[in-house]
Amino acid sequence: MTITRRRFVQIAAALPALSALPRFALAEMALGEATLTTVSDGTLTLPADFIFGPMPADVIASIRAEFGLTDGPLTPECNLALYRDGTNTVLFDAGSGTGFMPSAGILPDSLDALGVSADEITHVIFTHGHPDHLWGVLDDFDDPAFPEAKLMMGRAEWDYWWNPETVNEIGDARAAFAAGARRRMEAIEDQIAFFDDGDEVLPGVAAISTPGHTPGHMSFEIRQGGSAALVIGDAIGNHHVAFQRPDLLSGSDQNKELAAETRKALLDRITSEDLTIVGFHLPGGGMGRAETRGDGYRFVSG
């Protein structure tokens, strides 16, 4: 269950085009005969209060100092998981496309640098419906970005964004999220397949309900050949306060209390089972593991 750092270097050396991609990060691990690779969709630019707003400033001061987190904007990576088992070529989430933030939307170039075409993607499995995870399902012409792929989303997550009342209830700051999600979901309605908590969505890939960040957020446990990893989306949304103080309520989560409960339970499981994780906004390509640290945890990349 070790991440192949040598493979990381080999791939990076073999892909000189990657130097042109902003903040491209790549990590890879073997899962039996399958591989799990992270591919970049660029970065986001977020105000610090997007995460820290609800948190007591004195409580998180030392964490912010340790990680050099000033009052300036946060620029988290966007790392998608690409799973290949010899039969299926699976993307977890679709990235943001080019209509969300100028610093994001590079997934097509990242896949091209890996030698993977959009037509080769057999499945796109969504963790949730936020813009940086869903909006890239359509290209710049509103055509399917992955025309041969089966699209899959948790039933509860789909129902939440499909509900016409969500745009009125989600709050002004996220109303555009809801409108954008609904527009894209209308375009893919005939292509979508649903799953529920505990379902085996593909051989060796099981859905795990991890709600709070959004109402129907899903993570995925991948087990092949005695190895395992968790694709956690935004259930653990950063490498600093979410690990050191998972109990603190984050402004990035729609249901803050539920998200904190989910984070704590997930980190307990990750550390007790020593699982490799892929987090969408974690650094260094998003792949690593969690270790206990005092009363909290720390993220170990690579």
Side-chain angles (χ1 to χ4, degrees):
M1 192 167 61
T2 57
I3 300 170
T4 55
R5 300 293 294 181
R6 179 176 298 175
R7 179 65 174 153
F8 173 97
V9 173
Q10 289 172 338
I11 295 174
L15 299 174
L18 297 188
S19 61
L21 299 178
R23 297 190 179 222
F24 185 94
L26 179 69
E28 186 172 271
M29 69 175 293
L31 289 161
E33 296 300 314
T35 57
L36 185 63
T37 308
T38 59
V39 291
S40 177
D41 193 42
T43 62
L44 299 183
T45 303
L46 303 170
D49 278 356
F50 184 76
I51 292 174
F52 302 135
M55 300 178 183
D58 59 332
V59 172
I60 63 170
S62 62
I63 300 174
R64 294 184 67 168
E66 178 182 348
F67 289 90
L69 302 170
T70 66
D71 291 332
L74 305 173
T75 56
E77 296 178 11
C78 298
N79 297 300
L80 286 77
L82 175 68
Y83 174 68
R84 291 171 285 185
D85 64 5
T87 300
N88 300 305
T89 300
V90 183
L91 267 178
F92 291 90
D93 295 322
S96 67
T98 58
F100 183 47
M101 287 190 182
S103 56
I106 68 166
L107 177 63
D109 291 330
S110 297
L111 289 173
D112 185 62
L114 284 172
V116 177
S117 73
D119 290 346
E120 292 178 80
I121 303 299
T122 61
H123 300 78
V124 178
I125 305 176
F126 295 99
T127 61
H128 64 296
H130 276 165
D132 48 332
H133 299 257
L134 172 64
W135 288 14
V137 74
L138 301 180
D139 65 18
D140 291 344
F141 302 97
D142 283 346
D143 292 324
F146 306 101
E148 304 300 321
K150 182 176 183 178
L151 309 178
M152 309 179 75
M153 183 180 285
R155 191 182 310 271
E157 185 73 359
W158 177 276
D159 289 347
Y160 173 75
W161 296 104
W162 189 256
N163 185 343
E165 292 304 312
T166 294
V167 70
N168 300 317
E169 297 171 353
I170 198 172
D172 292 345
R174 288 184 168 92
F177 291 11
R182 178 65 189 240
R183 182 172 77 81
R184 287 156 180 85
M185 291 164 72
E186 288 173 348
I188 65 174
E189 181 182 7
D190 293 338
Q191 301 168 260
I192 201 76
F194 300 114
F195 55 85
D196 297 300
D197 179 32
D199 286 353
E200 187 176 50
V201 296
L202 288 172
V205 181
I208 305 169
S209 178
T210 49
H213 182 69
T214 61
H217 188 287
M218 286 283 186
S219 298
F220 302 92
E221 179 182 48
I222 305 174
R223 287 192 177 273
Q224 296 287 353
S227 298
L230 287 182
V231 176
I232 60 173
D234 287 0
I236 304 174
N238 61 73
H239 64 296
H240 34 82
V241 291
F243 279 81
Q244 291 199 24
R245 288 295 305 269
D247 58 308
L248 293 178
L249 305 187
S250 173
S252 65
D253 298 321
Q254 292 183 215
N255 185 328
K256 298 173 179 54
E257 292 79 8
L258 180 57
E261 293 175 10
T262 293
R263 258 192 314 276
K264 290 185 286 184
L266 197 52
L267 282 162
D268 283 346
R269 179 181 176 189
I270 291 164
T271 51
S272 65
E273 298 183 25
D274 192 25
L275 291 169
T276 296
I277 58 175
V278 177
F280 198 87
H281 295 303
L282 299 182
M287 189 178 288
R289 58 192 178 87
E291 293 181 346
T292 56
R293 174 180 175 179
D295 294 332
Y297 305 85
R298 72 183 185 106
F299 175 64
V300 181
S301 178

